[in-house]
């Protein structure tokens, strides 16, 4: 198969198996050994050969328990869902194998998936079929590269927009958040049930354990050789002497009178203040003017008590309802009462029939 480069192709190589009309295909792209467009006739043969290969592989494989355990994938449910080509109703486009990219530089040189998807949308919008097929091939190569497989890249999907919560849902959510915000109260262990006269085992164990006392032994004071040979310095001797300070509060000659006190003359105001306070008749009260404080006033002798005052002066009498007039009297209800069969039964002495 001859592989040539097109003028409009952005890729380094382009196969001649693209489904392009002869009017659209450029003259520089010669076709040799044309592959039929409808390749469904090869599907059964390919599946049959693949089945034979699987059977041959199973027969040649040494089945060991350890190898079978290691062969089980850790993530059995992956994001890649393999699909079989048999149930497809569309025509299958067979693309020949390209030159494998073995180097890291070649794989890293592939365009990013996001950029290719952006250009693919633009090609679909314009209607460029050739560019769309080229970009699809580039996308396939980029997805199947080593680094894309390690990163487990998936085609971009539009994120699902979250619905706005209603007032009822928002209120319920806030209530739930407040409930979670409250600190958990630790559960207190229940007190052990103890019957009457039973001894508390924990308290008994605590009391039975012996108490430990740490004796504080003070070491005896000894004169060390360094203390015996010690000689005080001049500075220590100065500090050891008591400080002598003059006592300003003690008078040297207590009998001596100061000259200012001998020459002092009191003023007129001081002489006035030194005199005792005299009583004036205007300042005296009516009680102080009475000659006989025990005498009864004439108004008190003429006073007559009112009926209300007499009523209030009489002591109140309360009826004592707790004491009956005749404590031995029998009430009329007791005379009319009839004993019930139960009372008659209880009134009989024990043992009587």
């Amino acid at each position: 198969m001859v592989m040539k480069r097109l003028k409009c192709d952005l890729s380094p190589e382009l196969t001649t198996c693209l489904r392009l009309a002869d009017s659209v295909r450029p003259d520089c792209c010669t076709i040799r050994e044309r592959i039929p467009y409808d390749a469904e006739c090869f599907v059964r043969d390919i599946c049959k050969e693949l089945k034979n290969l699987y059977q041959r592989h199973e027969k040649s494989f040494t089945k060991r328990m350890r190898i079978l355990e290691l062969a089980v994938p850790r993530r059995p449910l992956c994001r890649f869902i393999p699909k079989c080509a048999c149930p497809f109703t569309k025509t299958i486009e067979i693309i020949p194998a390209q030159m494998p990219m073995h180097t890291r530089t070649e794989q890293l040189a592939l365009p990013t998936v996001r950029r290719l998807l952006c250009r693919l949308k633009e090609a679909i919008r314009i209607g460029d079929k050739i560019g769309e097929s080229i970009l699809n091939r580039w996308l396939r190569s980029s997805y199947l590269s080593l680094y894309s497989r390690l990163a487990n890249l998936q085609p971009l999907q539009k994120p699902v927009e979250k619905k706005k919560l209603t007032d009822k849902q928002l209120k319920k959510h806030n209530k739930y958040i407040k409930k979670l915000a409250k600190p958990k109260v630790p559960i207190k262990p229940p007190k052990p049930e103890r019957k009457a006269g039973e001894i508390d085992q924990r308290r008994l164990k605590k009391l039975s354990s012996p108490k430990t006392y740490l004796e504080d032994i003070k070491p005896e004071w000894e004169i060390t050789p360094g203390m015996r040979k010690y000689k005080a310095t001049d500075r220590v001797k100065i500090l050891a002497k008591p400080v002598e300070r003059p006592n300003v509060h003690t008078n040297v000659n207590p009998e001596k009178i100061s000259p200012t006190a001998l020459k002092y003359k009191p003023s007129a105001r001081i002489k006035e203040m030194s005199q005792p306070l005299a009583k004036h008749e205007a300042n005296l009260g009516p009680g102080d003017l009475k000659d006989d404080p025990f005498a009864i006033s004439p108004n008190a002798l003429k006073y007559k008590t009112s009926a209300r005052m007499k009523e209030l002066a009489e002591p109140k009498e309360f009826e004592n309802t707790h004491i009956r007039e005749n404590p031995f009297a029998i009430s009329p209800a007791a005379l009319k009462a009839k004993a019930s069969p139960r009372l008659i039964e209880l009134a009989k002495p024990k043992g009587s029939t």
Side-chain angles (χ1 to χ4, degrees):
M1 183 181 293
V2 179
M3 300 175 68
K4 287 190 177 183
R5 188 169 180 175
L6 299 178
K7 297 177 183 178
C8 60
D9 191 4
L10 302 175
S11 61
E13 294 178 353
L14 180 67
T15 58
T16 57
C17 63
L18 298 175
R19 295 183 60 182
L20 302 175
D22 294 336
S23 59
V24 180
R25 191 181 302 278
D27 298 333
C28 62
C29 183
T30 57
I31 300 173
R32 296 179 184 179
E33 299 178 2
R34 181 188 294 274
I35 297 174
Y37 294 144
D38 193 0
E40 291 182 359
C41 57
F42 298 107
V43 174
R44 292 184 180 179
D45 298 336
I46 292 169
C47 291
K48 191 181 292 184
E49 291 179 3
L50 186 63
K51 187 177 181 181
N52 293 333
L53 284 173
Y54 274 128
Q55 291 176 356
R56 185 179 176 185
H57 175 69
E58 287 178 358
K59 290 178 181 179
S60 63
F61 182 72
T62 305
K63 295 182 180 180
R64 294 180 183 176
M65 293 300 295
R66 180 59 181 162
I67 296 174
L68 291 173
E69 288 176 3
L70 293 172
V72 176
R74 291 185 179 180
R75 292 178 59 188
L77 297 175
C78 60
R79 287 190 282 177
F80 294 100
I81 302 172
K83 293 183 179 180
C84 181
C86 301
F88 287 174
T89 56
K90 295 182 180 179
T91 56
I92 298 174
E93 180 184 356
I94 298 177
I95 298 175
Q98 300 178 5
M99 295 297 291
M101 294 181 289
H102 298 288
T103 62
R104 178 174 178 270
T105 308
E106 289 177 354
Q107 292 200 3
L108 289 175
L110 292 170
T112 58
V113 177
R114 292 177 182 274
R115 191 179 300 173
L116 290 172
L117 286 172
C118 185
R119 292 190 63 183
L120 181 64
K121 287 180 182 178
E122 187 68 20
I124 293 170
R125 188 180 66 81
I126 297 170
D128 185 7
K129 298 293 183 182
I130 298 174
E132 185 181 346
S133 61
I134 294 168
L135 290 168
N136 282 330
R137 184 162 51 82
W138 273 105
L139 275 169
R140 190 182 299 109
S141 300
S142 184
Y143 271 126
L144 297 177
S145 65
L146 175 63
Y147 299 99
S148 296
R149 298 296 292 176
L150 289 174
N152 201 6
L153 286 176
Q154 294 291 321
L156 296 176
Q157 296 179 358
K158 188 178 180 181
V160 181
E161 294 182 0
K162 292 183 179 180
K163 294 183 179 180
K164 191 176 180 181
L165 297 175
T166 59
D167 295 340
K168 187 176 180 181
Q169 291 175 346
L170 192 63
K171 189 176 180 181
K172 186 178 179 181
H173 180 68
N174 293 336
K175 187 178 179 181
Y176 180 67
I177 294 296
K178 288 179 181 178
K179 183 182 176 182
L180 292 177
K182 290 181 180 178
K184 290 185 178 180
V185 180
I187 301 171
K188 294 182 179 179
K191 293 183 179 180
E193 295 181 359
R194 190 173 57 180
K195 298 178 181 178
E198 190 178 353
I199 301 171
D200 190 0
Q201 296 296 329
R202 290 189 299 175
R203 178 166 173 76
L204 189 64
K205 187 177 180 181
K206 184 179 178 182
L207 293 173
S208 62
S209 58
K211 293 183 179 180
T212 56
Y213 296 97
L214 183 63
E215 188 178 358
D216 188 10
I217 301 172
K218 295 182 179 180
E220 295 181 0
W221 191 78
E222 296 179 359
I223 300 174
T224 59
M227 294 168 66
R228 290 175 181 175
K229 297 177 183 179
Y230 178 75
K231 291 182 180 180
T233 60
D234 297 337
R235 176 62 179 164
V236 173
K237 290 178 181 179
I238 293 168
L239 293 173
K241 291 180 181 179
V243 181
E244 295 180 359
R245 294 186 178 88
N247 193 353
V248 295
H249 303 288
T250 306
N251 196 356
V252 182
N253 299 320
E255 298 86 6
K256 187 179 179 181
I257 301 169
S258 63
T260 54
L262 294 171
K263 296 177 183 179
Y264 179 74
K265 290 181 180 180
S267 61
R269 177 61 179 164
I270 290 175
K271 289 178 181 179
E272 184 184 352
M273 295 292 291
S274 63
Q275 295 294 329
L277 185 63
K279 288 186 177 182
H280 301 281
E281 293 183 0
N283 297 331
L284 295 175
D288 299 331
L289 298 174
K290 284 184 178 181
D291 297 332
D292 188 6
F294 301 101
I296 301 170
S297 64
N299 293 330
L301 293 171
K302 296 176 184 178
Y303 180 75
K304 292 181 180 181
T305 55
S306 61
R308 177 60 180 164
M309 291 293 289
K310 290 178 181 179
E311 184 183 351
L312 293 172
E314 291 179 0
K316 287 185 178 181
E317 293 182 359
F318 297 95
E319 185 181 357
N320 193 352
T321 57
H322 301 287
I323 299 173
R324 292 186 294 178
E325 294 178 359
N326 187 6
F328 302 101
I330 302 169
S331 64
L335 293 172
K336 296 177 183 178
K338 291 182 180 180
S340 62
R342 178 60 179 162
L343 284 174
I344 295 169
E345 185 182 352
L346 292 172
K348 291 179 180 179
K350 288 184 179 180
S352 62
T353 56

